Amino acid sequence: MNSPYRPSGPLNWLLGKFAAMPRWSIVGTTSAEKRSLAALKQLCNCHRLANAEFLRVEPSASRRPNRFRESTIRKLDARQKNASRIAGKSIQHHPVDLLCREEVLIRTCKNCLTSCGTNLIIDISSMPKRFFFPLISLALRSGMHENIIAVYASPAKYGATLAEDPLPWNAFPMFGATPLTGKGLKLIIGVGYQPLRLSEIVNGIRFNPENVELLLPFPSVHPGFVKNWEFVRQIRLEIKQLRDSAIKRVPTMNTSIAFDRIVAITNNGKNPAVLAPYGPKPVSLAMCLYGISCQDGSVPVEVGYTQPQVYSDSYSLGSAIDCDGNAVINANCIRLNGNNLYEI
Protein backbone atom coordinates (compact mmCIF):
# COMPACT_ATOMS: atom_id res chain seq x y z
CA MET A 1 0.00 0.00 0.00
CA ASN A 2 1.42 3.37 -1.05
CA SER A 3 0.39 6.10 1.36
CA PRO A 4 0.34 9.79 0.40
CA TYR A 5 2.86 12.11 1.98
CA ARG A 6 1.30 13.40 5.17
CA PRO A 7 3.31 16.32 6.57
CA SER A 8 3.92 16.03 10.31
CA GLY A 9 6.41 17.18 12.90
CA PRO A 10 6.88 19.89 15.54
CA LEU A 11 4.23 22.61 15.25
CA ASN A 12 6.73 25.44 14.76
CA TRP A 13 8.48 23.48 12.00
CA LEU A 14 5.25 22.61 10.21
CA LEU A 15 3.96 26.18 10.34
CA GLY A 16 7.25 27.26 8.78
CA LYS A 17 6.32 25.16 5.74
CA PHE A 18 3.08 27.13 5.41
CA ALA A 19 4.66 30.56 4.95
CA ALA A 20 2.03 31.46 2.34
CA MET A 21 -0.68 30.86 4.96
CA PRO A 22 0.21 33.39 7.65
CA ARG A 23 -2.88 33.21 9.88
CA TRP A 24 -4.52 30.21 11.49
CA SER A 25 -7.66 29.67 13.53
CA ILE A 26 -7.36 27.26 16.44
CA VAL A 27 -9.99 25.24 18.29
CA GLY A 28 -8.71 24.07 21.65
CA THR A 29 -9.75 23.23 25.18
CA THR A 30 -9.78 25.25 28.37
CA SER A 31 -8.58 22.51 30.69
CA ALA A 32 -7.08 21.90 34.11
CA GLU A 33 -3.97 20.73 32.24
CA LYS A 34 -1.12 23.18 31.61
CA ARG A 35 -0.42 21.72 28.17
CA SER A 36 -3.87 22.79 26.98
CA LEU A 37 -2.49 26.27 26.20
CA ALA A 38 0.87 25.23 24.72
CA ALA A 39 -0.23 25.33 21.07
CA LEU A 40 -2.11 28.61 21.53
CA LYS A 41 1.00 30.15 23.07
CA GLN A 42 3.26 28.99 20.23
CA LEU A 43 0.81 30.29 17.65
CA CYS A 44 0.71 33.70 19.34
CA ASN A 45 4.49 33.84 19.81
CA CYS A 46 5.06 33.46 16.07
CA HIS A 47 2.24 35.94 15.28
CA ARG A 48 0.21 33.40 13.29
CA LEU A 49 -3.05 33.50 15.29
CA ALA A 50 -6.20 34.61 13.47
CA ASN A 51 -8.68 33.62 16.19
CA ALA A 52 -9.14 31.02 18.91
CA GLU A 53 -12.29 29.11 19.88
CA PHE A 54 -11.85 27.21 23.14
CA LEU A 55 -14.18 24.61 24.60
CA ARG A 56 -14.35 24.98 28.36
CA VAL A 57 -15.28 21.41 29.31
CA GLU A 58 -16.92 21.59 32.72
CA PRO A 59 -17.16 18.72 35.23
CA SER A 60 -20.52 17.10 34.64
CA ALA A 61 -23.36 18.65 36.62
CA SER A 62 -25.16 15.28 36.51
CA ARG A 63 -22.33 13.47 38.33
CA ARG A 64 -22.27 14.28 42.03
CA PRO A 65 -20.31 14.00 44.21
CA ASN A 66 -17.05 14.57 42.34
CA ARG A 67 -13.98 14.77 44.54
CA PHE A 68 -12.11 16.74 41.85
CA ARG A 69 -14.88 19.26 41.08
CA GLU A 70 -13.80 22.27 43.13
CA SER A 71 -10.11 22.02 42.30
CA THR A 72 -10.92 21.44 38.62
CA ILE A 73 -13.11 24.54 38.43
CA ARG A 74 -10.42 26.64 40.12
CA LYS A 75 -7.90 25.45 37.54
CA LEU A 76 -10.36 26.05 34.69
CA ASP A 77 -10.86 29.64 35.87
CA ALA A 78 -7.11 30.22 36.07
CA ARG A 79 -6.48 28.59 32.68
CA GLN A 80 -9.24 30.62 31.01
CA LYS A 81 -7.80 33.82 32.42
CA ASN A 82 -4.34 32.84 31.19
CA ALA A 83 -5.67 31.97 27.73
CA SER A 84 -7.33 35.37 27.47
CA ARG A 85 -4.09 37.03 28.52
CA ILE A 86 -2.19 35.15 25.78
CA ALA A 87 -4.69 35.67 22.94
CA GLY A 88 -6.42 38.87 24.02
CA LYS A 89 -9.62 39.68 22.14
CA SER A 90 -8.91 36.95 19.60
CA ILE A 91 -10.23 34.17 21.85
CA GLN A 92 -13.77 33.06 22.59
CA HIS A 93 -14.67 30.56 25.32
CA HIS A 94 -17.50 28.05 24.90
CA PRO A 95 -18.60 26.39 28.18
CA VAL A 96 -20.00 22.89 27.78
CA ASP A 97 -20.75 20.03 30.18
CA LEU A 98 -18.52 16.95 29.84
CA LEU A 99 -21.58 14.67 29.56
CA CYS A 100 -23.85 17.05 27.66
CA ARG A 101 -26.42 15.65 25.23
CA GLU A 102 -25.13 14.72 21.81
CA GLU A 103 -27.04 17.49 20.06
CA VAL A 104 -25.56 20.08 22.44
CA LEU A 105 -22.05 18.75 21.84
CA ILE A 106 -22.44 18.88 18.05
CA ARG A 107 -24.01 22.34 18.12
CA THR A 108 -21.17 23.67 20.26
CA CYS A 109 -18.56 22.17 17.92
CA LYS A 110 -20.32 23.69 14.91
CA ASN A 111 -20.39 27.09 16.61
CA CYS A 112 -16.63 26.90 17.13
CA LEU A 113 -15.94 25.91 13.53
CA THR A 114 -18.26 28.54 12.04
CA SER A 115 -16.01 31.23 13.51
CA CYS A 116 -12.86 29.68 12.03
CA GLY A 117 -11.22 30.52 8.73
CA THR A 118 -9.67 28.64 5.83
CA ASN A 119 -6.62 27.50 7.82
CA LEU A 120 -7.56 25.53 10.93
CA ILE A 121 -5.65 23.97 13.83
CA ILE A 122 -7.48 21.55 16.13
CA ASP A 123 -5.68 21.01 19.43
CA ILE A 124 -6.62 17.58 20.80
CA SER A 125 -4.09 17.65 23.68
CA SER A 126 -6.64 18.07 26.48
CA MET A 127 -9.84 17.61 24.49
CA PRO A 128 -11.90 14.56 25.54
CA LYS A 129 -12.23 12.03 22.73
CA ARG A 130 -16.01 12.38 22.95
CA PHE A 131 -15.50 15.94 21.67
CA PHE A 132 -12.61 15.79 19.23
CA PHE A 133 -13.95 12.83 17.22
CA PRO A 134 -17.11 14.67 16.05
CA LEU A 135 -15.23 17.99 15.90
CA ILE A 136 -12.73 16.64 13.37
CA SER A 137 -15.52 14.94 11.43
CA LEU A 138 -17.47 18.19 11.21
CA ALA A 139 -14.35 20.15 10.21
CA LEU A 140 -13.48 17.75 7.38
CA ARG A 141 -17.05 17.83 6.06
CA SER A 142 -17.76 21.54 6.43
CA GLY A 143 -16.05 22.64 3.21
CA MET A 144 -14.89 25.81 5.00
CA HIS A 145 -11.33 24.77 5.78
CA GLU A 146 -8.76 24.23 3.03
CA ASN A 147 -5.97 23.25 5.42
CA ILE A 148 -6.45 21.39 8.72
CA ILE A 149 -3.74 20.48 11.22
CA ALA A 150 -4.32 18.39 14.36
CA VAL A 151 -1.85 19.06 17.17
CA TYR A 152 -0.94 17.23 20.37
CA ALA A 153 1.15 18.71 23.18
CA SER A 154 2.93 16.13 25.34
CA PRO A 155 2.76 16.49 29.13
CA ALA A 156 5.78 16.43 31.40
CA LYS A 157 4.16 13.44 33.09
CA TYR A 158 0.79 11.94 33.90
CA GLY A 159 -0.89 12.04 37.30
CA ALA A 160 -1.40 9.05 39.55
CA THR A 161 -5.17 9.09 38.85
CA LEU A 162 -6.52 9.81 35.37
CA ALA A 163 -10.25 9.17 35.33
CA GLU A 164 -13.03 7.50 37.29
CA ASP A 165 -16.54 6.08 37.02
CA PRO A 166 -16.74 5.17 33.33
CA LEU A 167 -20.07 4.83 31.56
CA PRO A 168 -21.01 1.67 29.62
CA TRP A 169 -19.63 1.24 26.10
CA ASN A 170 -21.23 3.54 23.57
CA ALA A 171 -20.36 4.81 20.10
CA PHE A 172 -19.04 8.35 19.85
CA PRO A 173 -21.42 10.96 18.46
CA MET A 174 -21.49 10.57 14.64
CA PHE A 175 -19.51 7.29 14.79
CA GLY A 176 -22.02 4.47 14.70
CA ALA A 177 -25.49 4.54 16.19
CA THR A 178 -26.22 0.92 15.20
CA PRO A 179 -23.83 -1.68 16.72
CA LEU A 180 -22.08 -3.83 14.12
CA THR A 181 -22.22 -7.63 14.20
CA GLY A 182 -20.98 -10.47 12.00
CA LYS A 183 -18.54 -13.37 11.91
CA GLY A 184 -15.68 -11.38 10.36
CA LEU A 185 -16.11 -8.28 12.53
CA LYS A 186 -12.76 -6.91 13.74
CA LEU A 187 -12.21 -5.36 17.17
CA ILE A 188 -9.19 -3.03 17.15
CA ILE A 189 -8.17 -1.78 20.60
CA GLY A 190 -5.78 1.09 21.17
CA VAL A 191 -3.79 0.05 24.25
CA GLY A 192 -3.78 2.75 26.92
CA TYR A 193 -3.42 3.07 30.69
CA GLN A 194 -6.93 2.17 31.90
CA PRO A 195 -9.35 -0.36 30.29
CA LEU A 196 -12.34 1.52 31.82
CA ARG A 197 -15.02 -1.20 31.52
CA LEU A 198 -13.65 -2.37 28.17
CA SER A 199 -14.31 -5.92 29.37
CA GLU A 200 -18.02 -5.33 28.73
CA ILE A 201 -17.52 -5.18 24.98
CA VAL A 202 -14.69 -7.74 24.93
CA ASN A 203 -16.94 -10.25 26.69
CA GLY A 204 -19.82 -9.65 24.30
CA ILE A 205 -20.95 -12.10 21.65
CA ARG A 206 -19.82 -9.91 18.76
CA PHE A 207 -16.15 -10.86 18.49
CA ASN A 208 -14.15 -14.02 17.88
CA PRO A 209 -10.71 -14.04 19.58
CA GLU A 210 -8.97 -14.36 16.21
CA ASN A 211 -10.52 -11.05 15.13
CA VAL A 212 -9.25 -8.99 18.08
CA GLU A 213 -6.19 -6.80 17.48
CA LEU A 214 -4.28 -4.62 19.97
CA LEU A 215 -2.34 -1.52 18.92
CA LEU A 216 0.48 -1.24 21.46
CA PRO A 217 2.15 2.21 21.54
CA PHE A 218 5.91 1.89 21.30
CA PRO A 219 8.12 3.33 22.58
CA SER A 220 6.29 4.35 25.72
CA VAL A 221 8.08 6.33 28.41
CA HIS A 222 8.36 4.86 31.91
CA PRO A 223 6.11 4.27 33.75
CA GLY A 224 3.74 4.32 30.76
CA PHE A 225 4.91 1.01 29.31
CA VAL A 226 4.20 -0.72 32.64
CA LYS A 227 0.61 0.54 32.52
CA ASN A 228 0.33 -0.46 28.84
CA TRP A 229 1.37 -4.04 29.60
CA GLU A 230 -0.98 -4.17 32.57
CA PHE A 231 -3.73 -3.11 30.14
CA VAL A 232 -2.72 -5.99 27.83
CA ARG A 233 -2.65 -8.42 30.77
CA GLN A 234 -6.21 -7.51 31.69
CA ILE A 235 -7.37 -8.04 28.12
CA ARG A 236 -5.66 -11.45 28.12
CA LEU A 237 -7.58 -12.37 31.26
CA GLU A 238 -10.81 -11.59 29.41
CA ILE A 239 -9.81 -13.24 26.11
CA LYS A 240 -8.06 -16.51 26.96
CA GLN A 241 -7.49 -17.38 23.30
CA LEU A 242 -5.91 -14.04 22.34
CA ARG A 243 -3.07 -14.67 19.89
CA ASP A 244 0.43 -13.29 20.54
CA SER A 245 0.34 -11.93 16.99
CA ALA A 246 -2.70 -9.86 17.93
CA ILE A 247 -0.36 -7.40 19.69
CA LYS A 248 0.91 -5.00 17.05
CA ARG A 249 3.32 -2.20 17.85
CA VAL A 250 2.61 1.27 16.51
CA PRO A 251 4.68 4.43 17.08
CA THR A 252 3.22 6.39 19.96
CA MET A 253 3.31 9.71 18.09
CA ASN A 254 2.97 8.68 14.45
CA THR A 255 -0.66 9.04 13.39
CA SER A 256 0.13 8.20 9.77
CA ILE A 257 1.69 4.80 10.53
CA ALA A 258 -1.10 3.97 12.99
CA PHE A 259 -3.69 4.78 10.31
CA ASP A 260 -1.95 2.57 7.75
CA ARG A 261 -1.76 -0.25 10.30
CA ILE A 262 -5.54 -0.08 10.79
CA VAL A 263 -6.08 -0.06 7.03
CA ALA A 264 -3.91 -3.18 6.74
CA ILE A 265 -5.73 -4.98 9.58
CA THR A 266 -9.09 -4.34 7.92
CA ASN A 267 -7.86 -5.35 4.45
CA ASN A 268 -8.29 -1.81 3.08
CA GLY A 269 -11.65 -1.45 4.77
CA LYS A 270 -13.11 -4.66 3.36
CA ASN A 271 -13.57 -6.11 6.85
CA PRO A 272 -16.04 -4.20 9.06
CA ALA A 273 -14.48 -3.05 12.33
CA VAL A 274 -15.19 -1.71 15.79
CA LEU A 275 -12.48 0.62 17.04
CA ALA A 276 -11.80 1.22 20.74
CA PRO A 277 -9.43 4.21 21.18
CA TYR A 278 -8.05 3.74 24.69
CA GLY A 279 -4.47 4.58 23.73
CA PRO A 280 -2.53 7.81 23.25
CA LYS A 281 -4.24 10.67 21.42
CA PRO A 282 -2.12 10.43 18.20
CA VAL A 283 -3.20 6.77 17.80
CA SER A 284 -6.79 7.68 18.68
CA LEU A 285 -6.59 10.39 16.01
CA ALA A 286 -5.71 7.68 13.47
CA MET A 287 -8.82 5.75 14.53
CA CYS A 288 -10.90 8.90 14.19
CA LEU A 289 -9.63 9.57 10.66
CA TYR A 290 -10.11 5.93 9.69
CA GLY A 291 -13.71 6.06 10.92
CA ILE A 292 -14.39 9.23 8.91
CA SER A 293 -12.86 7.71 5.78
CA CYS A 294 -14.99 4.57 6.20
CA GLN A 295 -18.15 6.65 6.51
CA ASP A 296 -17.26 8.64 3.40
CA GLY A 297 -16.81 5.36 1.53
CA SER A 298 -19.93 3.71 2.99
CA VAL A 299 -17.78 1.13 4.81
CA PRO A 300 -19.34 -0.25 8.05
CA VAL A 301 -17.47 1.07 11.11
CA GLU A 302 -18.18 1.78 14.76
CA VAL A 303 -15.91 3.80 17.04
CA GLY A 304 -16.74 3.96 20.72
CA TYR A 305 -15.55 4.34 24.27
CA THR A 306 -16.51 3.90 27.91
CA GLN A 307 -16.60 7.62 28.69
CA PRO A 308 -15.34 8.53 32.19
CA GLN A 309 -17.79 10.65 34.16
CA VAL A 310 -14.92 12.18 36.14
CA TYR A 311 -11.47 13.35 35.09
CA SER A 312 -8.76 14.10 37.63
CA ASP A 313 -7.74 17.72 38.04
CA SER A 314 -4.17 16.37 37.78
CA TYR A 315 -4.68 14.19 34.70
CA SER A 316 -1.32 15.43 33.49
CA LEU A 317 1.32 17.69 35.00
CA GLY A 318 3.25 20.36 33.13
CA SER A 319 4.33 20.34 29.49
CA ALA A 320 7.17 18.36 27.96
CA ILE A 321 9.98 20.71 26.87
CA ASP A 322 12.45 20.14 24.02
CA CYS A 323 16.16 20.99 24.00
CA ASP A 324 15.40 24.53 22.77
CA GLY A 325 13.05 25.23 25.64
CA ASN A 326 9.86 24.92 23.56
CA ALA A 327 6.81 22.85 24.42
CA VAL A 328 6.82 19.51 22.60
CA ILE A 329 3.87 19.78 20.21
CA ASN A 330 3.40 17.18 17.49
CA ALA A 331 1.42 18.43 14.46
CA ASN A 332 -0.26 16.31 11.78
CA CYS A 333 -1.58 17.81 8.56
CA ILE A 334 -4.86 16.02 7.83
CA ARG A 335 -6.09 18.21 4.98
CA LEU A 336 -3.85 20.09 2.54
CA ASN A 337 -5.12 22.44 -0.17
CA GLY A 338 -8.59 20.95 0.13
CA ASN A 339 -7.39 17.34 -0.15
CA ASN A 340 -7.92 14.86 2.69
CA LEU A 341 -4.69 13.01 3.40
CA TYR A 342 -6.22 10.13 5.37
CA GLU A 343 -8.38 8.00 3.11
CA ILE A 344 -8.77 4.29 2.37
Side-chain angles (χ1 to χ4, degrees), residues 11 19 30 58 75 79 91 102 121 123 130 155 180 186 225 254 264-265 271 295 301-302 305 316 322:
L11 177 59
T30 307
E58 304 275 358
K75 290 183 178 181
R79 207 72 69 205
I91 191 169
E102 183 173 324
I121 292 173
D123 184 359
R130 182 173 186 256
L180 298 178
K186 293 280 187 178
F225 69 87
N254 196 313
I265 290 172
N271 299 117
Q295 292 170 347
V301 68
E302 176 189 342
Y305 197 49
S316 77
D322 64 20

Side-chain angles (χ1 to χ4, degrees), residues 253-290:
M253 290 301 201
N254 196 313
T255 296
S256 181
I257 291 179
F259 179 89
D260 289 342
R261 174 70 80 173
I262 297 167
V263 171
I265 290 172
T266 60
N267 192 19
N268 292 316
K270 294 178 182 177
N271 299 117
V274 173
L275 279 63
Y278 286 77
K281 289 278 183 69
V283 177
S284 297
L285 175 61
M287 291 185 164
C288 173
L289 295 170
Y290 177 81

Side-chain angles (χ1 to χ4, degrees), residues 24-96:
W24 291 76
S25 300
I26 182 171
V27 178
T29 313
T30 307
S31 162
E33 298 179 90
K34 181 179 180 180
R35 62 173 171 160
S36 63
L37 302 185
L40 175 67
K41 188 174 181 180
Q42 279 198 13
L43 204 56
C44 288
N45 287 347
C46 63
H47 309 290
R48 305 291 291 272
L49 177 68
N51 67 295
E53 307 295 321
F54 267 51
L55 297 165
R56 173 172 166 144
V57 182
E58 304 275 358
S60 178
S62 64
R63 171 51 168 81
R64 297 178 185 275
N66 174 352
R67 65 190 177 109
F68 301 113
R69 177 182 297 278
E70 291 184 5
S71 54
T72 296
I73 291 175
R74 285 198 301 270
K75 290 183 178 181
L76 287 175
D77 291 340
R79 207 72 69 205
Q80 180 171 329
K81 184 176 181 180
N82 195 19
S84 296
R85 181 187 60 79
I86 293 170
K89 296 181 180 180
S90 298
I91 191 169
Q92 295 292 325
H93 299 277
H94 303 262
V96 61

